[in-house]
mmCIF file of all heavy atoms in Angstrom:
data_model
loop_
_atom_site.group_PDB
_atom_site.id
_atom_site.type_symbol
_atom_site.label_atom_id
_atom_site.label_comp_id
_atom_site.label_asym_id
_atom_site.label_seq_id
_atom_site.Cartn_x
_atom_site.Cartn_y
_atom_site.Cartn_z
ATOM 1 N N ALA A 1 62.676 -11.131 -60.352
ATOM 2 C CA ALA A 1 62.210 -9.746 -60.418
ATOM 3 C C ALA A 1 60.848 -9.691 -61.094
ATOM 4 O O ALA A 1 60.595 -10.391 -62.077
ATOM 5 C CB ALA A 1 63.208 -8.864 -61.168
ATOM 6 N N ALA A 2 59.965 -8.852 -60.553
ATOM 7 C CA ALA A 2 58.631 -8.657 -61.120
ATOM 8 C C ALA A 2 58.188 -7.228 -60.846
ATOM 9 O O ALA A 2 58.611 -6.611 -59.854
ATOM 10 C CB ALA A 2 57.631 -9.641 -60.524
ATOM 11 N N GLN A 3 57.350 -6.703 -61.726
ATOM 12 C CA GLN A 3 56.963 -5.291 -61.644
ATOM 13 C C GLN A 3 55.455 -5.115 -61.789
ATOM 14 O O GLN A 3 54.803 -5.839 -62.536
ATOM 15 C CB GLN A 3 57.682 -4.484 -62.729
ATOM 16 C CG GLN A 3 57.413 -2.986 -62.688
ATOM 17 C CD GLN A 3 58.205 -2.234 -63.733
ATOM 18 O OE1 GLN A 3 58.319 -2.673 -64.885
ATOM 19 N NE2 GLN A 3 58.784 -1.107 -63.350
ATOM 20 N N LYS A 4 54.936 -4.132 -61.068
ATOM 21 C CA LYS A 4 53.542 -3.719 -61.241
ATOM 22 C C LYS A 4 53.555 -2.529 -62.200
ATOM 23 O O LYS A 4 54.050 -1.447 -61.862
ATOM 24 C CB LYS A 4 52.925 -3.326 -59.901
ATOM 25 C CG LYS A 4 51.405 -3.171 -59.955
ATOM 26 C CD LYS A 4 50.831 -2.986 -58.560
ATOM 27 C CE LYS A 4 49.311 -2.890 -58.590
ATOM 28 N NZ LYS A 4 48.661 -4.148 -59.010
ATOM 29 N N LYS A 5 53.061 -2.736 -63.388
ATOM 30 C CA LYS A 5 53.186 -1.737 -64.445
ATOM 31 C C LYS A 5 52.496 -0.421 -64.098
ATOM 32 O O LYS A 5 52.953 0.649 -64.479
ATOM 33 C CB LYS A 5 52.610 -2.288 -65.759
ATOM 34 C CG LYS A 5 53.324 -3.520 -66.291
ATOM 35 C CD LYS A 5 54.760 -3.216 -66.658
ATOM 36 C CE LYS A 5 55.422 -4.440 -67.296
ATOM 37 N NZ LYS A 5 56.842 -4.188 -67.645
ATOM 38 N N GLU A 6 51.378 -0.504 -63.357
ATOM 39 C CA GLU A 6 50.607 0.711 -63.085
ATOM 40 C C GLU A 6 51.370 1.749 -62.296
ATOM 41 O O GLU A 6 51.190 2.960 -62.481
ATOM 42 C CB GLU A 6 49.313 0.364 -62.319
ATOM 43 C CG GLU A 6 48.334 -0.470 -63.116
ATOM 44 C CD GLU A 6 48.522 -1.954 -62.879
ATOM 45 O OE1 GLU A 6 49.672 -2.408 -62.770
ATOM 46 O OE2 GLU A 6 47.497 -2.659 -62.816
ATOM 47 N N ASN A 7 52.248 1.314 -61.373
ATOM 48 C CA ASN A 7 52.950 2.293 -60.540
ATOM 49 C C ASN A 7 54.467 2.152 -60.548
ATOM 50 O O ASN A 7 55.167 2.971 -59.946
ATOM 51 C CB ASN A 7 52.439 2.229 -59.095
ATOM 52 C CG ASN A 7 52.550 0.830 -58.493
ATOM 53 O OD1 ASN A 7 53.387 0.037 -58.885
ATOM 54 N ND2 ASN A 7 51.688 0.528 -57.525
ATOM 55 N N GLY A 8 54.984 1.135 -61.229
ATOM 56 C CA GLY A 8 56.430 0.970 -61.325
ATOM 57 C C GLY A 8 57.075 0.267 -60.156
ATOM 58 O O GLY A 8 58.305 0.144 -60.108
ATOM 59 N N ASP A 9 56.284 -0.235 -59.194
ATOM 60 C CA ASP A 9 56.856 -0.950 -58.056
ATOM 61 C C ASP A 9 57.480 -2.263 -58.522
ATOM 62 O O ASP A 9 56.957 -2.926 -59.431
ATOM 63 C CB ASP A 9 55.784 -1.256 -57.011
ATOM 64 C CG ASP A 9 55.265 -0.004 -56.318
ATOM 65 O OD1 ASP A 9 55.829 1.079 -56.537
ATOM 66 O OD2 ASP A 9 54.287 -0.120 -55.552
ATOM 67 N N ILE A 10 58.589 -2.637 -57.874
ATOM 68 C CA ILE A 10 59.296 -3.864 -58.244
ATOM 69 C C ILE A 10 59.569 -4.710 -57.009
ATOM 70 O O ILE A 10 60.056 -4.198 -55.986
ATOM 71 C CB ILE A 10 60.630 -3.550 -58.957
ATOM 72 C CG1 ILE A 10 60.372 -2.838 -60.291
ATOM 73 C CG2 ILE A 10 61.445 -4.826 -59.182
ATOM 74 C CD1 ILE A 10 61.640 -2.386 -60.993
ATOM 75 N N LEU A 11 59.263 -5.976 -57.092
ATOM 76 C CA LEU A 11 59.717 -6.970 -56.127
ATOM 77 C C LEU A 11 60.896 -7.683 -56.763
ATOM 78 O O LEU A 11 60.802 -8.155 -57.900
ATOM 79 C CB LEU A 11 58.612 -7.989 -55.826
ATOM 80 C CG LEU A 11 59.083 -9.239 -55.045
ATOM 81 C CD1 LEU A 11 59.205 -8.927 -53.570
ATOM 82 C CD2 LEU A 11 58.136 -10.413 -55.267
ATOM 83 N N SER A 12 62.012 -7.748 -56.043
ATOM 84 C CA SER A 12 63.181 -8.432 -56.591
ATOM 85 C C SER A 12 63.992 -9.033 -55.460
ATOM 86 O O SER A 12 63.711 -8.815 -54.277
ATOM 87 C CB SER A 12 64.049 -7.465 -57.410
ATOM 88 O OG SER A 12 64.569 -6.438 -56.582
ATOM 89 N N TYR A 13 64.981 -9.795 -55.847
ATOM 90 C CA TYR A 13 65.924 -10.364 -54.891
ATOM 91 C C TYR A 13 67.293 -9.821 -55.244
ATOM 92 O O TYR A 13 67.763 -9.947 -56.374
ATOM 93 C CB TYR A 13 65.857 -11.890 -54.914
ATOM 94 C CG TYR A 13 64.499 -12.377 -54.477
ATOM 95 C CD1 TYR A 13 63.503 -12.653 -55.420
ATOM 96 C CD2 TYR A 13 64.182 -12.480 -53.122
ATOM 97 C CE1 TYR A 13 62.232 -13.045 -55.017
ATOM 98 C CE2 TYR A 13 62.906 -12.863 -52.724
ATOM 99 C CZ TYR A 13 61.941 -13.142 -53.671
ATOM 100 O OH TYR A 13 60.683 -13.502 -53.275
ATOM 101 N N ASP A 14 67.921 -9.160 -54.279
ATOM 102 C CA ASP A 14 69.170 -8.461 -54.536
ATOM 103 C C ASP A 14 70.353 -9.385 -54.299
ATOM 104 O O ASP A 14 70.612 -9.796 -53.155
ATOM 105 C CB ASP A 14 69.274 -7.228 -53.629
ATOM 106 C CG ASP A 14 70.465 -6.364 -53.964
ATOM 107 O OD1 ASP A 14 70.477 -5.754 -55.037
ATOM 108 O OD2 ASP A 14 71.421 -6.326 -53.150
ATOM 109 N N CYS A 15 71.035 -9.721 -55.346
ATOM 110 C CA CYS A 15 72.232 -10.586 -55.324
ATOM 111 C C CYS A 15 71.910 -12.048 -55.033
ATOM 112 O O CYS A 15 72.448 -12.937 -55.679
ATOM 113 C CB CYS A 15 73.274 -10.088 -54.324
ATOM 114 S SG CYS A 15 74.080 -8.557 -54.822
ATOM 115 N N SER A 16 71.048 -12.297 -54.032
ATOM 116 C CA SER A 16 70.742 -13.683 -53.695
ATOM 117 C C SER A 16 69.285 -13.792 -53.253
ATOM 118 O O SER A 16 68.617 -12.792 -52.999
ATOM 119 C CB SER A 16 71.658 -14.188 -52.576
ATOM 120 O OG SER A 16 71.148 -13.817 -51.304
ATOM 121 N N TYR A 17 68.820 -15.023 -53.105
ATOM 122 C CA TYR A 17 67.458 -15.256 -52.640
ATOM 123 C C TYR A 17 67.357 -15.189 -51.117
ATOM 124 O O TYR A 17 66.335 -15.558 -50.542
ATOM 125 C CB TYR A 17 66.935 -16.591 -53.167
ATOM 126 C CG TYR A 17 66.656 -16.563 -54.652
ATOM 127 C CD1 TYR A 17 67.422 -17.318 -55.541
ATOM 128 C CD2 TYR A 17 65.639 -15.761 -55.165
ATOM 129 C CE1 TYR A 17 67.169 -17.286 -56.915
ATOM 130 C CE2 TYR A 17 65.386 -15.712 -56.531
ATOM 131 C CZ TYR A 17 66.152 -16.473 -57.400
ATOM 132 O OH TYR A 17 65.904 -16.425 -58.749
ATOM 133 N N ASN A 18 68.410 -14.707 -50.472
ATOM 134 C CA ASN A 18 68.370 -14.438 -49.035
ATOM 135 C C ASN A 18 67.969 -12.995 -48.745
ATOM 136 O O ASN A 18 67.823 -12.623 -47.577
ATOM 137 C CB ASN A 18 69.749 -14.679 -48.400
ATOM 138 C CG ASN A 18 70.205 -16.112 -48.512
ATOM 139 O OD1 ASN A 18 69.482 -17.022 -48.126
ATOM 140 N ND2 ASN A 18 71.404 -16.326 -49.037
ATOM 141 N N ASN A 19 67.833 -12.189 -49.789
ATOM 142 C CA ASN A 19 67.678 -10.748 -49.613
ATOM 143 C C ASN A 19 66.558 -10.234 -50.509
ATOM 144 O O ASN A 19 66.702 -10.189 -51.726
ATOM 145 C CB ASN A 19 68.999 -10.049 -49.968
ATOM 146 C CG ASN A 19 69.088 -8.643 -49.418
ATOM 147 O OD1 ASN A 19 68.517 -8.341 -48.381
ATOM 148 N ND2 ASN A 19 69.806 -7.785 -50.120
ATOM 149 N N LEU A 20 65.424 -9.856 -49.920
ATOM 150 C CA LEU A 20 64.273 -9.375 -50.678
ATOM 151 C C LEU A 20 64.310 -7.862 -50.781
ATOM 152 O O LEU A 20 64.613 -7.168 -49.809
ATOM 153 C CB LEU A 20 62.982 -9.846 -50.006
ATOM 154 C CG LEU A 20 61.663 -9.539 -50.725
ATOM 155 C CD1 LEU A 20 60.662 -10.665 -50.471
ATOM 156 C CD2 LEU A 20 61.048 -8.214 -50.279
ATOM 157 N N GLU A 21 64.001 -7.356 -51.959
ATOM 158 C CA GLU A 21 64.004 -5.903 -52.166
ATOM 159 C C GLU A 21 62.656 -5.438 -52.718
ATOM 160 O O GLU A 21 62.100 -6.060 -53.630
ATOM 161 C CB GLU A 21 65.112 -5.491 -53.143
ATOM 162 C CG GLU A 21 65.138 -3.992 -53.426
ATOM 163 C CD GLU A 21 66.323 -3.553 -54.272
ATOM 164 O OE1 GLU A 21 67.202 -4.399 -54.560
ATOM 165 O OE2 GLU A 21 66.370 -2.367 -54.656
ATOM 166 N N LEU A 22 62.157 -4.355 -52.146
ATOM 167 C CA LEU A 22 60.982 -3.671 -52.676
ATOM 168 C C LEU A 22 61.419 -2.290 -53.139
ATOM 169 O O LEU A 22 61.932 -1.493 -52.351
ATOM 170 C CB LEU A 22 59.894 -3.551 -51.611
ATOM 171 C CG LEU A 22 59.187 -4.847 -51.221
ATOM 172 C CD1 LEU A 22 58.295 -4.633 -50.004
ATOM 173 C CD2 LEU A 22 58.377 -5.407 -52.388
ATOM 174 N N SER A 23 61.254 -2.044 -54.439
ATOM 175 C CA SER A 23 61.594 -0.746 -55.024
ATOM 176 C C SER A 23 60.303 -0.105 -55.506
ATOM 177 O O SER A 23 59.489 -0.762 -56.162
ATOM 178 C CB SER A 23 62.553 -0.920 -56.202
ATOM 179 O OG SER A 23 63.690 -1.662 -55.828
ATOM 180 N N PHE A 24 60.148 1.164 -55.198
ATOM 181 C CA PHE A 24 58.879 1.828 -55.486
ATOM 182 C C PHE A 24 59.016 2.819 -56.634
ATOM 183 O O PHE A 24 59.995 3.572 -56.712
ATOM 184 C CB PHE A 24 58.363 2.535 -54.231
ATOM 185 C CG PHE A 24 58.068 1.573 -53.121
ATOM 186 C CD1 PHE A 24 59.063 1.163 -52.250
ATOM 187 C CD2 PHE A 24 56.803 1.019 -52.984
ATOM 188 C CE1 PHE A 24 58.809 0.239 -51.251
ATOM 189 C CE2 PHE A 24 56.537 0.096 -51.987
ATOM 190 C CZ PHE A 24 57.539 -0.299 -51.121
ATOM 191 N N GLY A 25 58.046 2.779 -57.531
ATOM 192 C CA GLY A 25 58.014 3.751 -58.602
ATOM 193 C C GLY A 25 57.976 5.163 -58.030
ATOM 194 O O GLY A 25 57.442 5.380 -56.942
ATOM 195 N N LYS A 26 58.539 6.108 -58.751
ATOM 196 C CA LYS A 26 58.684 7.458 -58.202
ATOM 197 C C LYS A 26 57.330 8.062 -57.842
ATOM 198 O O LYS A 26 56.338 7.909 -58.555
ATOM 199 C CB LYS A 26 59.431 8.358 -59.181
ATOM 200 C CG LYS A 26 58.733 8.657 -60.486
ATOM 201 C CD LYS A 26 59.596 9.575 -61.338
ATOM 202 C CE LYS A 26 58.898 9.952 -62.639
ATOM 203 N NZ LYS A 26 59.723 10.862 -63.470
ATOM 204 N N GLU A 27 57.316 8.728 -56.702
ATOM 205 C CA GLU A 27 56.116 9.376 -56.187
ATOM 206 C C GLU A 27 56.486 10.763 -55.672
ATOM 207 O O GLU A 27 57.659 11.067 -55.440
ATOM 208 C CB GLU A 27 55.504 8.561 -55.044
ATOM 209 C CG GLU A 27 54.899 7.235 -55.459
ATOM 210 C CD GLU A 27 53.608 7.391 -56.261
ATOM 211 O OE1 GLU A 27 53.054 8.516 -56.288
ATOM 212 O OE2 GLU A 27 53.165 6.398 -56.852
ATOM 213 N N SER A 28 55.458 11.576 -55.453
ATOM 214 C CA SER A 28 55.706 12.934 -54.963
ATOM 215 C C SER A 28 55.623 13.029 -53.450
ATOM 216 O O SER A 28 55.969 14.056 -52.871
ATOM 217 C CB SER A 28 54.699 13.911 -55.588
ATOM 218 O OG SER A 28 53.365 13.519 -55.279
ATOM 219 N N ASP A 29 55.160 11.953 -52.788
ATOM 220 C CA ASP A 29 55.079 12.007 -51.328
ATOM 221 C C ASP A 29 55.361 10.637 -50.727
ATOM 222 O O ASP A 29 55.131 9.591 -51.352
ATOM 223 C CB ASP A 29 53.706 12.507 -50.881
ATOM 224 C CG ASP A 29 52.623 11.460 -51.083
ATOM 225 O OD1 ASP A 29 52.153 11.327 -52.238
ATOM 226 O OD2 ASP A 29 52.266 10.791 -50.105
ATOM 227 N N LEU A 30 55.843 10.653 -49.488
ATOM 228 C CA LEU A 30 56.236 9.426 -48.807
ATOM 229 C C LEU A 30 55.047 8.652 -48.250
ATOM 230 O O LEU A 30 55.128 7.437 -48.058
ATOM 231 C CB LEU A 30 57.200 9.748 -47.664
ATOM 232 C CG LEU A 30 58.658 9.996 -48.046
ATOM 233 C CD1 LEU A 30 59.462 10.416 -46.830
ATOM 234 C CD2 LEU A 30 59.264 8.751 -48.683
ATOM 235 N N GLN A 31 53.963 9.342 -47.973
ATOM 236 C CA GLN A 31 52.800 8.662 -47.415
ATOM 237 C C GLN A 31 52.283 7.587 -48.374
ATOM 238 O O GLN A 31 51.915 6.483 -47.959
ATOM 239 C CB GLN A 31 51.683 9.678 -47.120
ATOM 240 C CG GLN A 31 52.065 10.789 -46.160
ATOM 241 C CD GLN A 31 52.021 10.356 -44.704
ATOM 242 O OE1 GLN A 31 52.003 9.173 -44.396
ATOM 243 N NE2 GLN A 31 52.015 11.316 -43.798
ATOM 244 N N THR A 32 52.259 7.923 -49.658
ATOM 245 C CA THR A 32 51.790 6.972 -50.672
ATOM 246 C C THR A 32 52.693 5.747 -50.720
ATOM 247 O O THR A 32 52.219 4.600 -50.795
ATOM 248 C CB THR A 32 51.749 7.653 -52.054
ATOM 249 O OG1 THR A 32 50.860 8.760 -52.006
ATOM 250 C CG2 THR A 32 51.288 6.688 -53.134
ATOM 251 N N ILE A 33 54.001 5.975 -50.681
ATOM 252 C CA ILE A 33 54.956 4.862 -50.705
ATOM 253 C C ILE A 33 54.798 4.004 -49.468
ATOM 254 O O ILE A 33 54.793 2.759 -49.541
ATOM 255 C CB ILE A 33 56.394 5.404 -50.823
ATOM 256 C CG1 ILE A 33 56.592 6.093 -52.173
ATOM 257 C CG2 ILE A 33 57.414 4.284 -50.636
ATOM 258 C CD1 ILE A 33 57.923 6.802 -52.324
ATOM 259 N N CYS A 34 54.652 4.633 -48.318
ATOM 260 C CA CYS A 34 54.523 3.892 -47.063
ATOM 261 C C CYS A 34 53.285 3.006 -47.068
ATOM 262 O O CYS A 34 53.319 1.863 -46.598
ATOM 263 C CB CYS A 34 54.472 4.868 -45.892
ATOM 264 S SG CYS A 34 54.424 4.053 -44.277
ATOM 265 N N ALA A 35 52.192 3.513 -47.615
ATOM 266 C CA ALA A 35 50.954 2.731 -47.654
ATOM 267 C C ALA A 35 51.125 1.480 -48.510
ATOM 268 O O ALA A 35 50.668 0.385 -48.134
ATOM 269 C CB ALA A 35 49.809 3.595 -48.188
ATOM 270 N N ARG A 36 51.787 1.628 -49.652
ATOM 271 C CA ARG A 36 51.989 0.457 -50.522
ATOM 272 C C ARG A 36 52.959 -0.526 -49.867
ATOM 273 O O ARG A 36 52.771 -1.747 -49.944
ATOM 274 C CB ARG A 36 52.495 0.900 -51.907
ATOM 275 C CG ARG A 36 51.482 1.736 -52.677
ATOM 276 C CD ARG A 36 51.582 1.532 -54.168
ATOM 277 N NE ARG A 36 52.861 1.889 -54.751
ATOM 278 C CZ ARG A 36 53.162 3.090 -55.246
ATOM 279 N NH1 ARG A 36 52.259 4.077 -55.203
ATOM 280 N NH2 ARG A 36 54.339 3.316 -55.790
ATOM 281 N N PHE A 37 54.005 0.004 -49.249
ATOM 282 C CA PHE A 37 54.955 -0.871 -48.561
ATOM 283 C C PHE A 37 54.245 -1.698 -47.491
ATOM 284 O O PHE A 37 54.481 -2.906 -47.365
ATOM 285 C CB PHE A 37 56.077 -0.056 -47.914
ATOM 286 C CG PHE A 37 56.957 -0.873 -47.010
ATOM 287 C CD1 PHE A 37 57.900 -1.742 -47.532
ATOM 288 C CD2 PHE A 37 56.823 -0.802 -45.620
ATOM 289 C CE1 PHE A 37 58.704 -2.526 -46.704
ATOM 290 C CE2 PHE A 37 57.617 -1.570 -44.784
ATOM 291 C CZ PHE A 37 58.553 -2.435 -45.325
ATOM 292 N N THR A 38 53.367 -1.057 -46.730
ATOM 293 C CA THR A 38 52.651 -1.749 -45.665
ATOM 294 C C THR A 38 51.831 -2.911 -46.212
ATOM 295 O O THR A 38 51.840 -4.024 -45.660
ATOM 296 C CB THR A 38 51.737 -0.769 -44.912
ATOM 297 O OG1 THR A 38 52.545 0.276 -44.331
ATOM 298 C CG2 THR A 38 50.964 -1.476 -43.809
ATOM 299 N N ASP A 39 51.145 -2.688 -47.315
ATOM 300 C CA ASP A 39 50.345 -3.758 -47.932
ATOM 301 C C ASP A 39 51.231 -4.929 -48.342
ATOM 302 O O ASP A 39 50.917 -6.101 -48.067
ATOM 303 C CB ASP A 39 49.601 -3.230 -49.152
ATOM 304 C CG ASP A 39 48.431 -2.339 -48.784
ATOM 305 O OD1 ASP A 39 48.020 -2.348 -47.610
ATOM 306 O OD2 ASP A 39 47.937 -1.616 -49.673
ATOM 307 N N TYR A 40 52.329 -4.618 -49.029
ATOM 308 C CA TYR A 40 53.231 -5.680 -49.492
ATOM 309 C C TYR A 40 53.845 -6.431 -48.311
ATOM 310 O O TYR A 40 53.902 -7.663 -48.297
ATOM 311 C CB TYR A 40 54.358 -5.088 -50.347
ATOM 312 C CG TYR A 40 53.922 -4.350 -51.597
ATOM 313 C CD1 TYR A 40 54.696 -3.310 -52.117
ATOM 314 C CD2 TYR A 40 52.757 -4.679 -52.282
ATOM 315 C CE1 TYR A 40 54.328 -2.630 -53.277
ATOM 316 C CE2 TYR A 40 52.372 -4.009 -53.436
ATOM 317 C CZ TYR A 40 53.165 -2.977 -53.925
ATOM 318 O OH TYR A 40 52.800 -2.298 -55.060
ATOM 319 N N TYR A 41 54.313 -5.662 -47.346
ATOM 320 C CA TYR A 41 55.052 -6.264 -46.231
ATOM 321 C C TYR A 41 54.172 -7.187 -45.404
ATOM 322 O O TYR A 41 54.599 -8.281 -45.011
ATOM 323 C CB TYR A 41 55.656 -5.171 -45.347
ATOM 324 C CG TYR A 41 56.588 -5.697 -44.279
ATOM 325 C CD1 TYR A 41 57.920 -6.003 -44.599
ATOM 326 C CD2 TYR A 41 56.156 -5.913 -42.973
ATOM 327 C CE1 TYR A 41 58.779 -6.504 -43.628
ATOM 328 C CE2 TYR A 41 57.001 -6.408 -42.002
ATOM 329 C CZ TYR A 41 58.314 -6.703 -42.337
ATOM 330 O OH TYR A 41 59.164 -7.209 -41.382
ATOM 331 N N GLU A 42 52.956 -6.758 -45.125
ATOM 332 C CA GLU A 42 52.056 -7.591 -44.327
ATOM 333 C C GLU A 42 51.769 -8.914 -45.024
ATOM 334 O O GLU A 42 51.729 -9.977 -44.385
ATOM 335 C CB GLU A 42 50.750 -6.832 -44.049
ATOM 336 C CG GLU A 42 50.923 -5.704 -43.031
ATOM 337 C CD GLU A 42 49.638 -4.948 -42.775
ATOM 338 O OE1 GLU A 42 48.705 -5.055 -43.617
ATOM 339 O OE2 GLU A 42 49.550 -4.227 -41.762
ATOM 340 N N PHE A 43 51.602 -8.870 -46.340
ATOM 341 C CA PHE A 43 51.353 -10.102 -47.075
ATOM 342 C C PHE A 43 52.588 -10.999 -47.069
ATOM 343 O O PHE A 43 52.497 -12.205 -46.811
ATOM 344 C CB PHE A 43 50.946 -9.784 -48.511
ATOM 345 C CG PHE A 43 50.717 -11.009 -49.359
ATOM 346 C CD1 PHE A 43 49.517 -11.697 -49.297
ATOM 347 C CD2 PHE A 43 51.711 -11.479 -50.207
ATOM 348 C CE1 PHE A 43 49.311 -12.845 -50.062
ATOM 349 C CE2 PHE A 43 51.516 -12.620 -50.974
ATOM 350 C CZ PHE A 43 50.315 -13.295 -50.907
ATOM 351 N N ILE A 44 53.749 -10.415 -47.356
ATOM 352 C CA ILE A 44 54.985 -11.188 -47.436
ATOM 353 C C ILE A 44 55.288 -11.884 -46.113
ATOM 354 O O ILE A 44 55.602 -13.084 -46.076
ATOM 355 C CB ILE A 44 56.164 -10.280 -47.847
ATOM 356 C CG1 ILE A 44 56.007 -9.846 -49.306
ATOM 357 C CG2 ILE A 44 57.502 -10.995 -47.641
ATOM 358 C CD1 ILE A 44 56.959 -8.736 -49.720
#
């Protein structure tokens, strides 16, 4: 598990290393979350 302190986003592995989880710090709109997810996902 690791976290980006500035926005509260977390990369973790849920239960096992076969399952990757991206958890996003609370936001007021989905567009912002989607943009960050896209950046992470493309890199991963």
